[in-house]
Amino acid sequence: MRYLLIVIMISVVAVLGCTQQEVEMNDEQQEAMEQAGEASSYQPGTWITDYDQALLYARDLKRPVLVNFTGSDWCYWCQLLSGEVFEKEAFLKFAGDNFVLLKVDFPQKTKLPQEVQKANQSLAEKYGIQGFPTIVLIDDKGEEITRTGYQEGGAEVYVKHLKELLGMK
């Protein structure tokens, strides 16, 4: 019995010792691993609210960020754009394949956490937002590519409009 217990313990140590490898990484390698793990958690076609994460995902996925500056619970044109375009399959499919989606919201009825309000206000100042909705397309460094707003015609027309803005076919 004692012999069997020793054999089992040695086997467990051997198996665990073989499956765990100690790997030393430099800071760049660790950062790349963390970024790859974080970026892989992004679900294309879904809206996120963290600017830094959006840039990280854009860098990893090699695509621009579509930033939606909105007043979601009070702005009539924002609500139209959301309902006619952003919630439709044609837009979601195109956006999922081509953008990281970032929502920067300025609601009046819903109270956002203070840090989110400050971050959103800072982004509005950075990009010179004058009204809502404003859609800003930025690269993975945060540099503006182009901007637009509400367009009549629904999701298919809006997708065509975005393609024209980006020089896509």
Side-chain angles (χ1 to χ4, degrees), residues 93-163:
K93 171 72 172 112
F94 175 72
D97 293 340
N98 294 283
F99 299 114
V100 171
L101 300 174
L102 175 65
K103 182 178 183 180
V104 181
D105 200 1
F106 295 85
Q108 291 180 354
K109 299 171 191 160
T110 305
K111 191 76 171 163
L112 295 177
Q114 189 68 31
E115 64 274 6
V116 174
Q117 290 179 34
K118 288 173 83 173
N120 289 358
Q121 185 59 43
S122 176
L123 287 172
E125 290 170 11
K126 175 179 177 144
Y127 291 104
I129 303 305
Q130 301 291 316
F132 303 107
T134 299
I135 307 303
V136 181
L137 298 171
I138 61 175
D139 65 18
D140 64 5
K141 294 174 187 64
E143 299 296 321
E144 184 173 333
I145 300 168
T146 189
R147 67 175 57 205
T148 189
Y150 174 79
Q151 300 284 316
E152 281 188 0
E156 291 83 5
V157 171
Y158 206 81
V159 165
K160 182 179 178 198
H161 171 66
L162 290 172
K163 287 179 177 181

Side-chain angles (χ1 to χ4, degrees), residues 77-104:
W77 297 106
C78 300
Q79 292 167 349
L80 269 181
L81 183 58
S82 180
E84 292 178 3
V85 176
F86 295 154
E87 296 172 10
K88 301 297 183 192
E89 186 63 31
F91 173 80
L92 292 172
K93 171 72 172 112
F94 175 72
D97 293 340
N98 294 283
F99 299 114
V100 171
L101 300 174
L102 175 65
K103 182 178 183 180
V104 181

Side-chain angles (χ1 to χ4, degrees), residues 2-62:
R2 195 171 177 180
Y3 176 74
L4 182 61
L5 187 59
I6 292 172
V7 170
I8 291 172
M9 287 177 60
I10 291 172
S11 298
V12 168
V13 170
V15 169
L16 291 177
C18 292
T19 59
Q20 292 183 330
Q21 292 181 331
E22 289 187 29
V23 179
E24 290 189 32
M25 291 185 266
N26 64 31
D27 290 340
E28 283 181 20
Q29 290 170 322
Q30 281 182 326
E31 185 177 333
M33 291 286 290
E34 289 169 9
Q35 287 178 354
E38 290 171 1
S40 66
S41 68
Y42 176 66
Q43 297 294 317
T46 61
W47 293 93
I48 62 172
T49 57
D50 185 296
Y51 177 76
D52 293 327
Q53 281 296 127
L55 294 181
L56 177 69
Y57 297 148
R59 204 169 299 124
D60 185 60
L61 298 170
K62 296 176 180 33

